[in-house]
Amino acid sequence: MVSNLLTFVNSNVEWSKSIKIQIKEPFSDYFICTLKMTKTGHLICLGGPTDSQSIGPQSYVIEFGDNRLMIDCGLAMGQKGKTYSPDLGPIMNRSLNGVLTTHGHLDHVGYIPALTKENPLLKDGSRIYGTIITNEITKMMLVDALKNDTPYFGFMDVIRTLNRFEAISPLNQFEPVPGFKVTAIPVGHVPGAVSFLIELPSGKKGLILGDASFVDQLIVKGALPISDWKDEWIPDELWGIDLTNTEETEQLSFNESIESLVGAVRADLSEGRNVFIMAFANGKAQNAALALSQAGIECWLDGMTQEVYKIFRDNKTNDNDIEFPEIGDSSRIRFVNDVGRSNLLSRSGPKVIITTGGMGDRGPIVQYMQAFLPEESASFYATSWLAHGSIASKLLKIVQKYPAEGENRNKRQIRITDERNGESTNVPIRAKVQKIGLTGHCRFSELKDFISRLCARRGRIVDNIVLTHGSIHSMRKAVVDLRPFTQNIIFGLPGTTVDI
């Protein structure tokens, strides 16, 4: 009898390592079996570091029984301009019931339309959940990708994606997949960004932290402090953390970076220089604009930074999001589209222009570099993370290697391709070039403090920490430094499956 019962259970239940079986024999003629059974789910890591210097795209799938929920599905720049997508191999024969998006950066949402291609992974009727800001920015980015002839998906894939978005309200629990209870918690980083606390049918709770900032920025308040979390939000495990910013040596804080940028721009303007700030469209550009506005310095937004500013201004999802000022005289923030690029540049006096792309490879910054890098009366500032091999990365290396007054100053030139016509030219570099990073990610010390406080709220260490969203180097550092806070540390590399 016991043998037959165990055979039935083993064929119908996925057992955890903690199974216990007690056999009681109150009578001699039969057995009563008391079984403690734990059905497990799986966390499947589809994204992660793709080479020694990159963090790779972000994507996870949580599987429990026949239901699967994806969190993020991005594209990421690697070395020498190569783009990486998630490894969907582990789920190719399984369909998805829904997708959660933490925020609207390319490395988190840029590959979503590929889920709707032929033999789609995303089931008919399945939804894509994010805050209204994340949804609007994601839609804008996917349409823009079509304009840039992305090889990863086509027009109809984007059309099939656009009608699936559904807005969620932070701090309110919802059920995107039967049995999966999800709460979105504000996490700083950019307006609309959230962590996801996910409770499985088994009762186990895990946190996908996403990209996090625990300090206030000009565009958004820092992540909701652990002290303000409800008891039911405290997770058993951390299924995804932010290891983007583990190197803190000689790195400025956010406020110090803002002060440095404003000071440099003010000095440039006093010398009659035109200033060009290259920035990611979602976050860094708006931080730079608000910083200059508060310092009384007029600035112009160009490229996609303008549309993102409007989305931030017109949609406030929770108390972490700030009120954005109106464009115009009162804020001294203006849109290039309102006057035209040529008209703006023909005006007398120095100007400050904040524009995409953040890595210098595409967007209006390409035209500005072609026109103004040869001018000594211009300054260019990079504010974003730069992929190895990107134009901005090459530019910084060239000016560092060949000083403006050195004997090799004639070697200060860079080859730039105009995306409008595909023509490449060698551009002399006489302008001032500098990087002042405006990071929207938490420092590693801040992440450790967050996890420490979480464990204190829980009353014990967490069961598992899955290391994600960082380079191999940062993961190795985290293994040592996060060991006191967990029973197990797991490298969340592409293709890794973790029992949860």
Side-chain angles (χ1 to χ4, degrees):
M1 176 179 173
V2 173
S3 176
N4 290 338
L5 180 58
L6 292 179
T7 299
F8 170 79
V9 170
N10 272 315
S11 64
N12 288 276
V13 177
E14 186 167 3
W15 294 73
S16 75
K17 295 179 181 178
S18 62
I19 287 174
K20 297 178 181 178
I21 302 176
Q22 294 180 330
I23 301 178
K24 297 180 179 180
E25 190 179 1
F27 304 101
S28 59
D29 56 341
Y30 64 90
F31 292 98
I32 298 175
C33 292
T34 302
L35 306 178
K36 181 180 179 181
M37 300 177 293
T38 305
K39 190 170 184 178
T40 63
H42 303 101
L43 173 70
I44 306 170
C45 299
L46 306 176
T50 49
D51 55 52
S52 60
Q53 299 186 37
S54 70
I55 59 177
Q58 293 308 291
S59 188
Y60 321 81
V61 166
I62 295 176
E63 179 181 64
F64 198 93
D66 293 329
N67 291 319
R68 295 169 197 89
L69 180 64
M70 175 176 276
I71 301 92
D72 288 343
C73 189
L75 284 171
M77 293 290 291
Q79 296 188 50
K80 299 180 180 179
K82 187 174 180 180
T83 304
Y84 293 93
S85 61
D87 176 12
L88 300 181
I91 62 166
M92 284 308 294
N93 295 321
R94 316 175 207 181
S95 56
L96 300 170
N97 301 80
V99 179
L100 305 178
T101 55
T102 58
H103 65 287
H105 277 151
L106 187 68
D107 58 331
H108 291 258
V109 298
Y111 199 62
I112 288 176
L115 303 175
T116 69
K117 298 179 76 144
E118 299 86 2
N119 301 315
L121 287 168
L122 198 57
K123 285 183 176 180
D124 288 342
S126 296
R127 310 296 286 171
I128 301 168
Y129 301 90
T131 62
I132 188 169
I133 288 178
T134 296
N135 289 352
E136 292 303 309
I137 289 177
T138 301
K139 293 174 188 178
M140 179 191 67
M141 290 177 59
L142 298 181
V143 172
D144 184 71
L146 290 178
K147 297 177 184 177
N148 291 296
D149 298 321
T150 176
Y152 296 101
F153 46 81
F155 176 79
M156 289 307 301
D157 303 320
V158 172
I159 294 300
R160 286 189 291 265
T161 301
L162 293 180
N163 63 6
R164 292 176 181 265
F165 286 93
E166 185 168 324
I168 59 174
S169 298
L171 308 181
N172 293 317
Q173 189 179 85
F174 65 105
E175 196 166 328
V177 174
F180 289 56
K181 298 176 181 178
V182 177
T183 303
I185 304 173
V187 75
H189 188 55
V190 292
V194 292
S195 297
F196 286 114
L197 187 282
I198 303 171
E199 181 178 351
L200 299 179
S202 63
K204 178 167 286 188
K205 298 176 184 178
L207 181 71
I208 300 285
L209 182 62
D211 289 3
S213 173
F214 300 109
V215 299
D216 291 348
Q217 301 175 60
L218 300 179
I219 59 172
V220 67
K221 296 178 183 177
L224 191 70
I226 283 289
S227 58
D228 292 343
W229 286 32
K230 297 179 180 179
D231 290 341
E232 56 265 33
W233 295 349
I234 304 301
D236 303 304
E237 303 186 348
L238 296 176
W239 295 337
I241 57 178
D242 185 357
L243 294 176
T244 305
N245 199 12
T246 58
E247 298 300 326
E248 299 183 20
T249 305
E250 300 179 352
Q251 186 182 75
L252 299 178
S253 68
F254 175 80
N255 288 333
E256 290 169 338
S257 297
I258 287 293
E259 291 175 4
S260 179
L261 180 65
V262 170
V265 170
R266 197 186 297 280
D268 288 339
L269 293 176
S270 69
E271 297 173 0
R273 291 174 173 271
N274 285 311
V275 179
F276 302 92
I277 299 173
M278 57 185 93
F280 289 159
N282 178 5
K284 298 191 190 309
Q286 295 74 28
N287 264 323
L290 291 182
L292 295 174
S293 170
Q294 292 176 14
I297 299 173
E298 181 180 72
C299 62
W300 294 82
L301 289 171
D302 200 356
M304 287 176 60
T305 68
Q306 302 167 91
E307 190 60 33
V308 173
Y309 190 98
K310 293 178 186 177
I311 293 172
F312 288 169
R313 181 194 62 193
D314 298 341
N315 300 279
K316 192 171 184 289
T317 60
N318 60 83
D319 290 340
N320 265 40
D321 296 337
I322 63 105
E323 297 285 348
F324 274 71
E326 292 295 328
I327 297 299
D329 292 340
S330 60
S331 67
R332 302 182 68 81
I333 300 173
R334 307 184 191 278
F335 288 165
V336 170
N337 283 357
D338 291 341
V339 299
R341 201 169 293 147
S342 297
N343 288 336
L344 173 61
L345 294 177
S346 66
R347 296 181 179 182
S348 62
K351 303 159 194 69
V352 181
I353 299 174
I354 305 169
T355 186
T356 52
M359 297 191 193
D361 293 308
R362 58 179 52 186
I365 192 61
V366 175
Q367 299 170 47
Y368 289 127
M369 286 192 295
Q370 289 176 320
F372 289 94
L373 275 177
E375 302 291 333
E376 292 183 359
S377 59
S379 295
F380 286 81
Y381 294 96
T383 62
S384 306
W385 174 83
L386 302 176
H388 179 70
S390 64
I391 292 295
S393 175
K394 292 178 182 178
L395 186 61
L396 287 164
K397 288 180 180 179
I398 291 170
V399 299
Q400 290 169 2
K401 186 174 182 179
Y402 304 114
E405 304 303 323
E407 59 182 11
N408 292 318
R409 60 183 177 274
N410 290 334
K411 294 183 179 180
R412 285 170 62 102
Q413 56 181 292
I414 188 167
R415 192 161 187 81
I416 296 177
T417 301
D418 190 330
E419 60 186 346
R420 296 171 299 177
N421 54 30
E423 295 182 0
S424 298
T425 56
N426 287 326
V427 179
I429 307 169
R430 297 188 179 91
K432 171 185 171 183
V433 180
Q434 185 180 346
K435 181 176 181 182
I436 301 178
L438 301 180
T439 183
H441 293 269
C442 59
R443 290 181 166 191
F444 188 62
S445 57
E446 294 165 349
L447 176 67
K448 286 172 59 180
D449 182 67
F450 168 81
I451 296 175
S452 175
R453 292 174 184 272
L454 187 152
C455 291
R457 277 291 304 272
R458 188 170 186 252
R460 60 190 185 281
I461 61 177
V462 295
D463 299 341
N464 290 315
I465 295 178
V466 182
L467 304 179
T468 57
H469 208 20
S471 65
I472 295 294
H473 174 76
S474 64
M475 289 185 177
R476 288 172 177 162
K477 173 181 173 63
V479 164
V480 176
D481 291 355
L482 299 184
R483 171 60 64 187
F485 305 115
T486 183
Q487 297 179 29
N488 301 296
I489 293 184
I490 301 161
F491 277 61
L493 302 176
T496 300
T497 297
V498 182
D499 288 345
I500 56 177

